Amino acid sequence: MTLAAAPAHVRASAPETRLPAADRVERCASEERPPPRPDGQDHYTISEVAAHTGLSVHTLRWYERIGLMPHVDRSHTGQRRYSNQDLGWLAFVGKLRLTGMAVADMVRYAELVRRGDGTEAERRALLEETREEVVRRIAELDSTLALLDHKIGVYRELEHRAGDGHRDDGRMSVSA
């Protein structure tokens, strides 16, 4: 499902309330980059978050607008103030993006996390569906890698024979 085809509530702005960390953040088993500051000193500007995550400022704002990013605190001047928990959530979203999960499904997952208790089965189902697709893609890539390894071996053998004085007649087989 594309974002354009998603229901209006999926395309709506991020919610206005900040939920407890346990309901907002689902961390990956291991985060690749630890947060730059300890909890309690973790107020980041949008530019700092962009630099840390590699996401553009535009993407971070878009994530908020579509509901993929929980409500981000604001300073008294209206400037966004991200936390370590926000960085953890963005790391998780980055992993979901790498799986190829549709944006609408990521937004749906984020909505379920915000709703909290009672949504675990739906969250699990979304993740299991994504996992099945990842396993399928890995198998496809493994098959492709095996084919590449075979062809590389064929060319190495041809090069080896050419180095020994054997000449290939220059014709390529159908499976070349």
Side-chain angles (χ1 to χ4, degrees):
M1 170 191 272
T2 65
L3 188 59
H9 70 279
V10 171
R11 296 186 312 265
S13 296
E16 295 299 317
T17 59
R18 190 166 182 92
L19 297 173
D23 293 337
R24 290 187 327 113
V25 178
E26 299 239 345
R27 294 186 182 266
C28 292
S30 64
E31 291 182 27
E32 293 176 15
R33 295 188 66 196
R37 298 183 196 132
D39 289 342
Q41 299 174 12
D42 59 335
H43 294 108
Y44 306 100
T45 65
I46 196 167
S47 297
E48 290 173 318
V49 172
H52 180 76
T53 62
L55 297 170
S56 70
V57 167
H58 174 77
T59 298
L60 291 166
R61 288 181 181 135
W62 182 66
Y63 280 4
E64 261 190 276
R65 194 169 50 252
I66 66 171
L68 185 53
M69 184 71 202
H71 175 73
V72 176
D73 281 340
R74 303 276 180 144
S75 70
H76 67 284
T77 61
Q79 185 180 37
R80 287 172 177 84
R81 292 172 39 165
Y82 292 84
S83 69
N84 287 339
Q85 292 175 331
D86 295 326
L87 295 180
W89 176 257
L90 288 168
F92 180 70
V93 167
K95 296 293 186 186
L96 292 179
R97 286 177 52 221
L98 288 174
T99 70
M101 182 185 263
V103 171
D105 288 339
M106 289 188 281
V107 170
R108 175 72 181 141
Y109 184 86
E111 288 173 349
L112 293 169
V113 169
R114 282 191 293 276
R115 283 191 5 219
D117 292 343
T119 64
E120 294 84 0
E122 266 186 278
R123 287 187 253 171
R124 180 187 42 75
L126 271 171
L127 295 178
E128 285 177 344
E129 186 177 305
T130 300
R131 184 184 188 285
E132 289 172 11
E133 179 61 22
V134 168
V135 168
R136 187 197 62 74
R137 284 183 30 227
I138 289 171
E140 185 177 26
L141 288 172
D142 279 344
S143 171
T144 302
L145 183 60
L147 176 63
L148 290 173
D149 287 344
H150 170 74
K151 296 306 290 181
I152 290 167
V154 167
Y155 288 117
R156 282 190 178 137
E157 180 62 27
L158 289 172
E159 290 170 0
H160 177 70
R161 280 197 237 157
D164 289 344
H166 296 90
R167 306 261 328 150
D168 185 6
D169 67 3
R171 289 182 286 167
M172 294 187 94
S173 69
V174 175
S175 63

Coordinates of all heavy atoms in Angstrom, one line a residue, residues 117-170:
D117 N -0.8 -1.1 25.0 CA -1.3 -2.4 25.4 C -2.5 -2.8 24.6 O -3.4 -2.0 24.3 CB -1.7 -2.5 26.9 CG -0.5 -2.3 27.8 OD1 0.7 -2.5 27.3 OD2 -0.7 -2.0 29.0
G118 N -2.6 -4.1 24.2 CA -3.7 -4.7 23.5 C -3.4 -4.7 22.0 O -4.2 -5.2 21.2
T119 N -2.3 -4.1 21.5 CA -2.0 -4.1 20.1 C -0.8 -5.0 19.8 O -0.4 -5.0 18.6 CB -1.6 -2.7 19.7 OG1 -0.4 -2.2 20.3 CG2 -2.8 -1.7 19.9
E120 N -0.3 -5.7 20.7 CA 0.9 -6.6 20.5 C 0.7 -7.6 19.4 O 1.6 -7.8 18.6 CB 1.3 -7.3 21.8 CG 1.7 -6.4 22.9 CD 0.6 -5.8 23.8 OE1 -0.6 -6.0 23.5 OE2 0.9 -5.0 24.7
A121 N -0.5 -8.2 19.3 CA -0.7 -9.2 18.3 C -0.6 -8.6 16.9 O -0.1 -9.2 16.0 CB -2.1 -9.9 18.5
E122 N -1.2 -7.4 16.7 CA -1.2 -6.8 15.4 C 0.2 -6.3 15.1 O 0.6 -6.5 13.9 CB -2.1 -5.5 15.5 CG -3.5 -5.7 15.0 CD -4.2 -4.4 14.9 OE1 -4.8 -4.0 15.9 OE2 -4.3 -3.9 13.8
R123 N 1.0 -5.8 16.1 CA 2.4 -5.4 15.8 C 3.2 -6.7 15.4 O 4.0 -6.6 14.5 CB 3.0 -4.8 17.1 CG 2.5 -3.4 17.4 CD 3.2 -2.8 18.5 NE 2.4 -2.8 19.7 CZ 2.9 -2.4 20.9 NH1 4.2 -2.2 21.1 NH2 2.1 -2.4 21.9
R124 N 3.0 -7.8 16.2 CA 3.7 -9.0 15.8 C 3.4 -9.4 14.4 O 4.3 -9.8 13.7 CB 3.4 -10.1 16.9 CG 4.2 -11.4 16.6 CD 3.7 -12.5 17.5 NE 2.3 -12.6 17.7 CZ 1.4 -13.1 16.8 NH1 1.8 -13.5 15.6 NH2 0.1 -13.1 17.2
A125 N 2.1 -9.4 14.1 CA 1.7 -9.8 12.7 C 2.4 -9.0 11.6 O 2.8 -9.5 10.6 CB 0.2 -9.8 12.6
L126 N 2.4 -7.7 11.8 CA 3.1 -6.8 10.9 C 4.6 -7.2 10.7 O 5.1 -7.3 9.6 CB 3.0 -5.3 11.3 CG 1.8 -4.6 10.8 CD1 1.7 -3.2 11.5 CD2 1.8 -4.4 9.3
L127 N 5.2 -7.4 11.9 CA 6.6 -7.8 11.8 C 6.9 -9.1 11.2 O 7.8 -9.3 10.5 CB 7.2 -7.7 13.2 CG 7.3 -6.2 13.8 CD1 7.9 -6.3 15.2 CD2 8.1 -5.3 13.0
E128 N 6.0 -10.1 11.5 CA 6.1 -11.4 11.0 C 6.0 -11.4 9.4 O 6.7 -12.1 8.7 CB 5.1 -12.4 11.6 CG 5.5 -12.8 13.0 CD 4.5 -13.7 13.6 OE1 3.3 -13.8 13.2 OE2 4.8 -14.4 14.7
E129 N 5.0 -10.6 9.0 CA 4.8 -10.5 7.5 C 6.0 -9.9 6.9 O 6.5 -10.4 5.8 CB 3.6 -9.6 7.3 CG 3.2 -9.4 5.9 CD 1.9 -8.6 5.8 OE1 0.9 -8.9 6.4 OE2 2.0 -7.6 5.0
T130 N 6.6 -8.9 7.5 CA 7.8 -8.3 7.0 C 9.0 -9.2 7.0 O 9.8 -9.3 6.1 CB 8.1 -7.0 7.8 OG1 7.0 -6.1 7.7 CG2 9.4 -6.3 7.3
R131 N 9.1 -10.0 8.1 CA 10.2 -11.0 8.2 C 10.1 -12.0 7.1 O 11.1 -12.4 6.5 CB 10.1 -11.7 9.6 CG 11.2 -12.6 9.8 CD 11.1 -13.4 11.1 NE 12.3 -14.1 11.4 CZ 12.6 -15.3 10.8 NH1 11.9 -15.8 9.9 NH2 13.8 -15.9 11.1
E132 N 8.9 -12.5 6.8 CA 8.7 -13.5 5.7 C 9.2 -12.9 4.4 O 9.9 -13.6 3.6 CB 7.2 -13.9 5.6 CG 6.8 -14.8 6.8 CD 5.3 -15.0 6.8 OE1 4.6 -14.7 5.7 OE2 4.8 -15.5 7.8
E133 N 8.9 -11.7 4.1 CA 9.4 -11.0 2.9 C 10.9 -10.9 2.9 O 11.5 -11.1 1.9 CB 8.7 -9.6 2.7 CG 9.1 -8.9 1.5 CD 8.8 -9.6 0.2 OE1 8.0 -10.5 0.2 OE2 9.5 -9.3 -0.8
V134 N 11.5 -10.5 4.1 CA 12.9 -10.4 4.2 C 13.6 -11.8 3.9 O 14.6 -11.9 3.2 CB 13.4 -9.9 5.5 CG1 14.9 -10.0 5.8 CG2 13.0 -8.4 5.6
V135 N 13.0 -12.9 4.5 CA 13.6 -14.2 4.3 C 13.5 -14.6 2.8 O 14.4 -15.2 2.3 CB 12.8 -15.2 5.2 CG1 13.1 -16.7 4.8 CG2 13.2 -15.0 6.7
R136 N 12.4 -14.3 2.2 CA 12.2 -14.5 0.7 C 13.3 -13.8 -0.1 O 13.9 -14.3 -0.9 CB 10.8 -14.2 0.3 CG 10.6 -14.6 -1.2 CD 9.4 -13.9 -1.8 NE 9.5 -12.4 -1.9 CZ 10.3 -11.8 -2.8 NH1 11.1 -12.5 -3.6 NH2 10.4 -10.5 -2.8
R137 N 13.5 -12.5 0.3 CA 14.5 -11.7 -0.5 C 15.9 -12.2 -0.2 O 16.7 -12.2 -1.1 CB 14.4 -10.2 0.0 CG 13.2 -9.6 -0.7 CD 13.0 -8.1 -0.4 NE 14.2 -7.4 -0.2 CZ 14.3 -6.5 0.8 NH1 13.4 -6.3 1.6 NH2 15.5 -5.8 0.9
I138 N 16.2 -12.7 1.0 CA 17.5 -13.2 1.3 C 17.7 -14.5 0.5 O 18.8 -14.7 -0.1 CB 17.7 -13.5 2.8 CG1 17.8 -12.2 3.6 CG2 18.9 -14.4 3.1 CD1 17.7 -12.3 5.1
A139 N 16.7 -15.4 0.4 CA 16.9 -16.6 -0.4 C 17.1 -16.2 -1.9 O 18.0 -16.8 -2.5 CB 15.6 -17.4 -0.3
E140 N 16.4 -15.2 -2.4 CA 16.6 -14.8 -3.8 C 18.0 -14.2 -3.9 O 18.7 -14.6 -4.9 CB 15.6 -13.7 -4.1 CG 15.5 -13.2 -5.5 CD 14.4 -12.2 -5.8 OE1 14.0 -11.5 -4.8 OE2 14.0 -12.2 -6.9
L141 N 18.5 -13.5 -3.0 CA 19.9 -12.9 -3.1 C 20.9 -14.0 -3.0 O 21.9 -14.0 -3.6 CB 20.1 -11.8 -2.0 CG 19.4 -10.5 -2.3 CD1 19.5 -9.6 -1.1 CD2 19.9 -9.8 -3.5
D142 N 20.7 -15.0 -2.1 CA 21.6 -16.1 -2.0 C 21.7 -16.9 -3.3 O 22.8 -17.3 -3.7 CB 21.1 -17.1 -0.9 CG 21.5 -16.7 0.5 OD1 22.4 -15.8 0.7 OD2 20.9 -17.2 1.5
S143 N 20.6 -17.1 -3.9 CA 20.5 -17.8 -5.2 C 21.3 -16.9 -6.3 O 22.1 -17.5 -7.1 CB 19.1 -18.0 -5.7 OG 19.0 -18.4 -7.0
T144 N 21.1 -15.6 -6.3 CA 21.8 -14.8 -7.2 C 23.3 -14.8 -6.9 O 24.1 -14.8 -7.8 CB 21.2 -13.3 -7.1 OG1 19.8 -13.4 -7.3 CG2 21.9 -12.4 -8.0
L145 N 23.7 -14.8 -5.6 CA 25.1 -14.8 -5.2 C 25.7 -16.1 -5.7 O 26.8 -16.1 -6.2 CB 25.2 -14.7 -3.7 CG 26.6 -14.6 -3.2 CD1 27.4 -13.4 -3.8 CD2 26.6 -14.5 -1.7
A146 N 25.0 -17.2 -5.6 CA 25.6 -18.5 -6.0 C 25.8 -18.5 -7.5 O 26.8 -19.0 -8.0 CB 24.6 -19.6 -5.6
L147 N 24.9 -17.9 -8.3 CA 25.0 -17.8 -9.7 C 26.3 -16.9 -10.1 O 27.1 -17.3 -10.9 CB 23.8 -17.2 -10.4 CG 23.9 -16.9 -11.9 CD1 24.1 -18.2 -12.7 CD2 22.7 -16.2 -12.4
L148 N 26.4 -15.8 -9.4 CA 27.6 -14.9 -9.6 C 28.9 -15.6 -9.3 O 29.8 -15.6 -10.0 CB 27.4 -13.6 -8.8 CG 26.3 -12.7 -9.2 CD1 26.2 -11.5 -8.2 CD2 26.6 -12.1 -10.6
D149 N 28.9 -16.3 -8.1 CA 30.1 -17.1 -7.8 C 30.4 -18.1 -8.8 O 31.6 -18.3 -9.2 CB 29.9 -17.8 -6.4 CG 29.9 -16.8 -5.2 OD1 30.4 -15.6 -5.4 OD2 29.4 -17.2 -4.1
H150 N 29.4 -18.8 -9.4 CA 29.7 -19.8 -10.4 C 30.3 -19.1 -11.6 O 31.3 -19.6 -12.2 CB 28.3 -20.5 -10.8 CG 28.5 -21.4 -12.0 ND1 29.1 -22.6 -12.0 CD2 28.1 -21.1 -13.3 CE1 29.1 -23.1 -13.2 NE2 28.5 -22.2 -14.0
K151 N 29.7 -18.0 -12.1 CA 30.2 -17.3 -13.3 C 31.6 -16.8 -13.1 O 32.4 -16.9 -14.0 CB 29.2 -16.2 -13.7 CG 27.9 -16.7 -14.1 CD 27.9 -17.7 -15.2 CE 28.3 -17.2 -16.5 NZ 28.3 -18.2 -17.6
I152 N 31.9 -16.3 -11.9 CA 33.2 -15.8 -11.6 C 34.2 -17.0 -11.7 O 35.3 -16.8 -12.2 CB 33.2 -15.1 -10.2 CG1 32.5 -13.8 -10.3 CG2 34.7 -14.9 -9.7 CD1 32.2 -13.2 -8.9
G153 N 33.8 -18.1 -11.1 CA 34.6 -19.3 -11.2 C 34.9 -19.7 -12.6 O 36.0 -20.1 -13.0
V154 N 33.9 -19.7 -13.5 CA 34.1 -20.0 -14.9 C 35.1 -19.1 -15.5 O 36.0 -19.5 -16.2 CB 32.7 -19.9 -15.6 CG1 32.9 -20.0 -17.2 CG2 31.8 -21.0 -15.2
Y155 N 35.0 -17.8 -15.3 CA 35.9 -16.8 -15.9 C 37.3 -17.0 -15.3 O 38.3 -16.9 -16.1 CB 35.4 -15.4 -15.7 CG 34.2 -15.1 -16.6 CD1 33.0 -14.8 -16.1 CD2 34.3 -15.2 -18.0 CE1 31.9 -14.5 -16.9 CE2 33.2 -15.0 -18.8 CZ 32.0 -14.6 -18.3 OH 30.9 -14.4 -19.1
R156 N 37.4 -17.3 -14.1 CA 38.8 -17.6 -13.5 C 39.4 -18.8 -14.2 O 40.6 -18.8 -14.5 CB 38.7 -17.8 -12.0 CG 38.5 -16.5 -11.2 CD 38.7 -16.7 -9.7 NE 38.6 -15.4 -9.1 CZ 37.9 -15.2 -7.9 NH1 37.3 -16.2 -7.3 NH2 37.9 -14.0 -7.4
E157 N 38.6 -19.8 -14.4 CA 39.1 -21.0 -15.0 C 39.5 -20.7 -16.5 O 40.6 -21.1 -16.9 CB 38.0 -22.1 -15.0 CG 38.5 -23.4 -15.7 CD 39.7 -24.1 -15.1 OE1 39.9 -23.9 -13.8 OE2 40.4 -24.8 -15.8
L158 N 38.7 -19.9 -17.2 CA 39.1 -19.5 -18.5 C 40.4 -18.7 -18.5 O 41.3 -18.9 -19.4 CB 38.0 -18.7 -19.2 CG 36.7 -19.5 -19.6 CD1 35.6 -18.5 -20.0 CD2 37.0 -20.5 -20.6
E159 N 40.5 -17.8 -17.6 CA 41.7 -17.0 -17.5 C 42.9 -17.8 -17.2 O 44.0 -17.7 -17.7 CB 41.6 -15.9 -16.4 CG 40.6 -14.8 -16.8 CD 40.3 -13.8 -15.6 OE1 40.8 -14.0 -14.5 OE2 39.5 -12.9 -15.9
H160 N 42.7 -18.8 -16.3 CA 43.8 -19.7 -15.9 C 44.3 -20.5 -17.1 O 45.5 -20.7 -17.4 CB 43.4 -20.7 -14.8 CG 44.4 -21.7 -14.4 ND1 45.5 -21.3 -13.7 CD2 44.4 -23.0 -14.6 CE1 46.2 -22.4 -13.5 NE2 45.6 -23.5 -14.0
R161 N 43.3 -21.0 -17.9 CA 43.6 -21.8 -19.1 C 44.4 -20.9 -20.1 O 45.3 -21.4 -20.8 CB 42.4 -22.4 -19.7 CG 41.9 -23.6 -19.0 CD 41.0 -24.4 -19.9 NE 39.7 -24.6 -19.2 CZ 38.6 -24.8 -19.7 NH1 38.4 -24.8 -21.1 NH2 37.5 -24.9 -19.0
A162 N 43.9 -19.7 -20.3 CA 44.5 -18.8 -21.2 C 46.0 -18.5 -20.8 O 46.9 -18.4 -21.6 CB 43.8 -17.5 -21.3
G163 N 46.2 -18.4 -19.5 CA 47.6 -18.2 -19.0 C 48.5 -19.4 -19.2 O 49.7 -19.3 -19.3
D164 N 47.9 -20.6 -19.4 CA 48.6 -21.8 -19.6 C 48.8 -22.1 -21.1 O 49.2 -23.2 -21.5 CB 47.9 -23.1 -19.0 CG 47.9 -23.1 -17.5 OD1 48.8 -22.4 -17.0 OD2 47.1 -23.8 -16.9
G165 N 48.4 -21.1 -21.9 CA 48.6 -21.3 -23.4 C 47.4 -21.8 -24.1 O 47.4 -21.9 -25.3
H166 N 46.3 -22.1 -23.4 CA 45.1 -22.6 -24.0 C 44.3 -21.4 -24.5 O 44.2 -20.3 -23.8 CB 44.2 -23.4 -23.1 CG 44.8 -24.7 -22.7 ND1 45.6 -24.8 -21.5 CD2 44.8 -25.9 -23.2 CE1 46.1 -26.0 -21.4 NE2 45.6 -26.7 -22.4
R167 N 43.7 -21.4 -25.6 CA 42.9 -20.3 -26.2 C 41.5 -20.7 -26.2 O 41.1 -21.8 -26.7 CB 43.4 -19.9 -27.5 CG 44.9 -19.6 -27.6 CD 45.4 -18.3 -27.5 NE 44.8 -17.1 -28.0 CZ 45.0 -15.9 -27.4 NH1 45.8 -15.9 -26.3 NH2 44.6 -14.8 -27.9
D168 N 40.6 -19.7 -25.9 CA 39.2 -19.9 -26.0 C 38.9 -19.5 -27.4 O 39.5 -18.6 -28.0 CB 38.5 -19.0 -25.0 CG 37.0 -19.1 -25.0 OD1 36.5 -20.0 -25.6 OD2 36.3 -18.4 -24.2
D169 N 37.9 -20.1 -28.1 CA 37.6 -19.8 -29.5 C 36.8 -18.5 -29.6 O 36.4 -18.1 -30.7 CB 36.9 -20.9 -30.2 CG 35.5 -21.2 -29.6 OD1 35.0 -20.5 -28.7 OD2 34.9 -22.2 -30.1
G170 N 36.5 -17.9 -28.4 CA 35.8 -16.6 -28.5 C 34.3 -16.6 -28.5 O 33.6 -15.6 -28.4

